[in-house]
Amino acid sequence: MPFSSPLPSPMALNKPPPSPSIFKKRSSSALGGPIPSSAASYLTALSQADARARNANGSPTSTPALSLSSSVTSSSEDTVLHDYADNDSNANGLLLPARPPTSEQVFTTVHTEFGHCANEEYRTTSQHPPGTPLPPHVEQDPPYYILLSTYISYLILICLGHVRDFVGKRLSPASYRHLMPRNGYAPLNSDFDSFYTRRLKTRMDECFSQPVTGVAGRTILLLDRISPDYNHTQIFTGTRTRALNISSYNYLGFAQARGGCADAVEESIKRYGISSLGSRLEGGSTDLHTISEALVANFVGMEDALISSMGFATNSTIIPALVGKGSLVISDELNHASIRFGTRISGSHVRMFKHNNMKSLENLLKEVISQGQPKTHRPWKKILVIVEGLYSMEGTLVNLPAILELKKKYKFYLFVDEAHSIGALGPHGRGVADYFGVNPRSIDILMGTFTKSFGAAGGYVSGSKALIDRLRVYGHSGPYAEAMTPSVLTQVVASMASIMGIALPPEMASSSKLAIEQEYHHPGPAPPSSLPSWLSLPPNLASGAEGSSRLRRLAFNSRYLHNGLIKLGFITYGHPSSPIVPLLLFNPGKMNMFHRLMKDRQTPIIVVVVAYPATPLVTSRVRFCVSAAHTKEDIDTVLKACDEVGDVLDLKHGLPKRQRWTVEEIMKRAVELGTMA
């Protein structure tokens, strides 16, 4: 590994030599023969390996553990299924595409994109118990010595940074030319503005912006790199490392290069081409855009929907069309930057309330309604409350029932950003309204993105037809943004239909149903008329069976990891149903070490480390992103790694030692933890 520490890791001491791992790059000889010389030869080898796997005696109930060697496959030749992507070229210099097995292949292969788990005990339903209040999130503080050492660490870094700047500007002025006025021009960036980036972030830049290639599925392929100049530049070594991916927003595992959705995308490219069918002057809207917007509206339970080619732009261009001068926006203090940007350019007055604190929100509502606009004290033209369904840095859920009660009492408009909750929460995957069992039309505006659960790109906003018609005219994304490409729209439609399931066509329905006019009832299967006529999904996707299974697997994996980390003694944030599980690191020096120790294990694990300004300065964290593509054994692998790394870095400051569980007990009682609220 190119990022190996100069000193051996404490976990590496007194350990037997590791067995071969499927993640390590192998030479061509490991493939059991010469590499195929063409794409056709490769596909033939793939089919033969799949046939051998199908004929193998017995089928395990889940994908083999990631740390096992390739001997778990039927024969040595079958390693082409998961190793061929790691080879740069074949003997003739032909670069072939990676074709790892997917969720539609047999259980006996090693799956890099989607892991199999046939054990129905490792399933649960993502649903809030009806009639019970949402328990408040209580942030747990670490011991005082942890907070003190964290503040001292930042103080030392800041002092050393200023000393280095003072000395460097005098001894090596050429290195600071971009920060000094010259030739009558002021610097584009002042040394004060770029101080954090230069003197703090750069010191631990190894754990940020890790370059990857291929599909961000259950595993991911890292491009190894080194830095000879303390992270000022990064140099690729030319090697790659396959790691367990616990860092992508691939909540339902639809990030796959093969399968029913990928086949549908391929068919759309044949029909529509690769690029968008229209420029900004032509509008770029096609029949596929109309179909997609209607399907999104059905999926979320609204009258109409408007799609955009970028998630960030959905908020930043739609909010100014909703509110303006004389309006008031009340925003949760932890709302996303796109919401803050949209409200800032709208010209409306902005007030914030404490995160998910309904008492703070109600007190603020009483104040702003009684006082009216500043100076004139005229009534507000409109009041818009903006919250997120699932907060990506905290993993907390909005207290939607309580906000709806306040909405009835104080008569404001409600905007819910479901970028992370749509497709990931609720028994039907329809977001926080589905999770809490409330009517989605009691919410005025539902916004979401396609980049997480649907494995695509872009975003949408949904509401009443009158509202969406107005946004088509006054929203900036309509006249100024490019249209979404047909291939991306097809991925959205295919994955969304896989979650909903497709209703039987009239000719196949029972005679009693023929007399009833086909009308969509939320939440329900997608009517065949709402999908492109050429779209064909495999039976397991079209029936909605696999979509339902993925939702229940995601719910189990999320609860299992969240509760397992708590039982190990870590301080975590968020709701147990959240697929985002933050683990608090606090000290900046532990961020880089946690990333390195996880990546340098026998089974490499790639994680996302988050620091200021995305989080408060002293609450740096690692953010695990759980997927339905992960198996129970994958979560076990993460828990084992966290248990060892947590002991080395002194991260267990949650439960007292006498109340903690061992990792073996957690694995044994996984079903209990995976269904615990």
Side-chain angles (χ1 to χ4, degrees):
M1 299 289 293
F3 269 117
S4 297
S5 176
L7 295 177
S9 167
M11 293 183 297
L13 300 178
N14 303 321
K15 275 192 174 184
S19 59
S21 171
I22 65 169
F23 294 102
K24 303 302 181 182
K25 182 178 177 181
R26 295 182 179 87
S27 62
S28 60
S29 61
L31 298 176
I35 299 176
S37 58
S38 65
S41 302
Y42 169 73
L43 293 177
T44 301
L46 182 68
S47 301
Q48 293 173 353
D50 189 31
R52 283 190 295 272
R54 291 179 186 274
N55 295 329
N57 294 328
S59 296
T61 59
S62 64
T63 297
L66 301 186
S67 59
L68 297 180
S69 69
S70 60
S71 61
V72 294
T73 54
S74 299
S75 64
S76 60
E77 289 85 351
D78 291 358
T79 54
V80 69
L81 294 179
H82 54 82
D83 282 341
Y84 190 75
D86 293 353
N87 292 274
D88 295 330
S89 60
N90 61 13
N92 295 336
L94 176 63
L95 183 64
L96 299 182
R99 293 281 188 174
T102 63
S103 61
E104 295 173 14
Q105 289 186 291
V106 294
F107 287 6
T108 52
T109 54
V110 178
H111 297 266
T112 60
E113 294 182 357
F114 192 95
H116 282 293
C117 181
N119 192 336
E120 289 296 323
E121 289 187 339
Y122 302 144
R123 309 280 196 277
T124 191
T125 302
S126 174
Q127 187 173 17
H128 181 72
T132 61
L134 182 70
H137 172 67
V138 179
E139 295 186 359
Q140 189 174 1
D141 294 326
Y144 284 117
Y145 80 90
I146 293 293
L147 291 176
L148 183 61
S149 63
T150 300
Y151 282 113
I152 291 176
S153 297
Y154 278 110
L155 181 61
I156 292 174
L157 287 173
I158 292 172
C159 292
L160 288 178
H162 283 298
V163 170
R164 294 181 67 183
D165 280 354
F166 179 82
V167 176
K169 288 178 181 179
R170 287 153 179 80
L171 300 183
S172 181
S175 301
Y176 292 83
R177 289 187 60 190
H178 63 292
L179 300 176
M180 305 294 291
R182 67 179 189 276
N183 300 329
Y185 290 96
L188 288 176
N189 294 316
S190 69
D191 56 353
F192 180 81
D193 293 336
S194 63
F195 180 83
Y196 175 82
T197 302
R198 291 183 295 106
R199 293 307 183 196
L200 280 78
K201 179 179 178 295
T202 303
R203 296 178 68 92
M204 48 189 177
D205 228 11
E206 176 188 328
C207 60
F208 299 122
S209 306
Q210 176 73 51
V212 299
T213 184
V215 176
R218 171 180 173 246
T219 69
I220 199 167
L221 203 58
L222 309 178
L223 301 179
D224 298 328
R225 59 183 182 174
I226 58 175
S227 178
D229 52 6
Y230 305 101
N231 293 328
H232 289 283
T233 58
Q234 301 281 350
I235 299 175
F236 291 113
T237 63
T239 59
R240 303 177 183 184
T241 301
R242 185 166 291 281
L244 175 62
N245 182 19
I246 195 77
S247 61
S248 296
Y249 295 142
N250 182 28
Y251 296 143
L252 291 183
F254 281 114
Q256 295 179 208
R258 296 185 64 206
C261 294
D263 292 342
V265 171
E266 184 178 352
E267 178 64 23
S268 74
I269 292 176
K270 294 178 182 178
R271 291 174 175 269
Y272 294 96
I274 297 177
S275 60
S276 178
L277 290 182
S279 65
R280 289 183 296 185
L281 296 177
E282 297 170 349
S285 180
T286 66
D287 60 332
L288 196 54
H289 291 78
T290 304
I291 290 173
S292 302
E293 290 179 340
L295 185 64
V296 169
N298 286 343
F299 185 83
V300 300
M302 288 293 196
E303 280 189 82
D304 201 359
L306 173 65
I307 59 178
S308 175
S309 57
M310 182 181 177
F312 189 98
T314 304
N315 277 334
S316 59
T317 61
I318 291 300
I319 292 176
L322 292 170
V323 291
K325 189 176 180 180
S327 299
L328 172 67
V329 173
I330 300 178
S331 176
D332 189 289
E333 64 178 350
L334 296 184
N335 275 346
H336 191 262
S338 60
I339 297 175
R340 294 169 178 260
F341 182 77
T343 55
R344 188 180 301 121
I345 64 176
S346 68
S348 57
H349 194 74
V350 183
R351 296 290 298 272
M352 290 193 295
F353 65 95
K354 294 181 180 179
H355 173 56
N356 231 5
N357 189 319
M358 297 301 103
K359 189 65 176 177
S360 172
L361 174 59
E362 185 171 16
N363 290 339
L364 180 58
L365 285 168
K366 290 178 180 178
E367 175 190 343
V368 297
I369 291 175
S370 62
Q371 295 298 319
Q373 298 185 39
K375 297 181 180 179
T376 63
H377 298 288
R378 294 177 180 174
W380 299 101
K381 292 181 179 179
K382 66 183 76 169
I383 298 177
L384 179 65
V385 175
I386 304 181
V387 294
E388 293 188 41
L390 172 60
Y391 292 85
S392 59
M393 290 299 165
E394 308 296 315
T396 51
L397 296 183
V398 63
N399 194 345
L400 186 60
I403 290 184
L404 291 178
E405 288 299 320
L406 292 177
K407 183 175 184 293
K408 295 177 183 178
K409 184 176 182 180
Y410 294 100
K411 310 301 180 184
F412 54 80
Y413 294 102
L414 180 59
F415 183 113
V416 179
D417 180 339
E418 290 207 275
H420 289 268
S421 55
I422 192 67
L425 293 177
H428 307 93
R430 312 300 171 89
V432 289
D434 187 25
Y435 180 82
F436 287 105
V438 303
N439 186 354
R441 297 198 180 184
S442 60
I443 304 169
D444 298 289
I445 305 105
L446 282 175
M447 174 269 173
T449 63
F450 305 123
T451 57
K452 280 81 178 178
S453 297
F454 306 102
Y460 69 87
V461 60
S462 61
S464 65
K465 190 176 187 308
L467 174 66
I468 299 302
D469 287 342
R470 175 181 173 85
L471 294 180
R472 293 185 197 279
V473 177
Y474 291 97
H476 295 166
S477 60
Y480 297 115
E482 292 285 356
M484 291 176 65
T485 61
S487 56
V488 175
L489 287 173
T490 303
Q491 172 68 22
V492 172
V493 170
S495 59
M496 195 170 285
S498 300
I499 301 172
M500 301 173 71
I502 303 175
L504 292 176
E507 59 271 13
M508 297 181 62
S510 62
S511 57
S512 60
K513 294 180 180 179
L514 289 176
I516 302 176
E517 182 182 357
Q518 278 199 339
E519 182 180 354
Y520 177 77
H521 297 281
H522 180 81
S529 58
S530 67
L531 303 174
S533 58
W534 50 265
L535 180 65
S536 177
L537 293 175
N540 59 330
L541 292 179
S543 65
E546 183 165 339
S548 176
S549 176
R550 294 189 185 208
L551 286 168
R552 298 178 69 230
R553 281 184 60 178
L554 174 64
F556 175 86
N557 290 343
S558 302
R559 290 178 181 270
Y560 179 35
L561 180 59
H562 178 91
N563 293 325
L565 290 174
I566 291 177
K567 292 299 183 182
L568 285 175
F570 293 99
I571 296 178
T572 63
Y573 283 175
H575 192 276
S577 295
S578 167
I580 300 171
V581 185
L583 185 153
L584 275 293
L585 302 177
F586 299 104
N587 196 294
K590 296 179 181 180
M591 297 167 56
N592 204 39
M593 288 305 301
F594 190 95
H595 173 270
R596 178 178 294 188
L597 291 174
M598 296 291 279
K599 190 165 72 76
D600 286 351
R601 296 180 63 83
Q602 180 184 351
T603 299
I605 302 174
I606 189 68
V607 299
V608 168
V609 178
V610 187
Y612 178 85
T615 67
L617 190 66
V618 296
T619 58
S620 303
R621 64 200 67 174
V622 56
R623 195 175 50 153
F624 296 113
C625 299
V626 185
S627 171
H630 294 133
T631 64
K632 186 261 184 186
E633 288 74 15
D634 295 337
I635 307 300
D636 289 343
T637 301
V638 175
L639 288 172
K640 290 178 184 177
C642 290
D643 183 46
E644 297 179 12
V645 175
D647 288 333
V648 173
L649 298 182
D650 188 25
L651 298 176
K652 298 180 179 180
H653 306 293
L655 290 177
K657 288 186 178 181
R658 63 181 181 276
Q659 298 180 15
R660 298 176 191 172
W661 293 8
T662 63
V663 70
E664 290 78 15
E665 184 179 3
I666 289 173
M667 293 165 56
K668 185 184 301 183
R669 300 171 66 176
V671 176
E672 175 187 345
L673 294 176
T675 55
M676 183 187 300

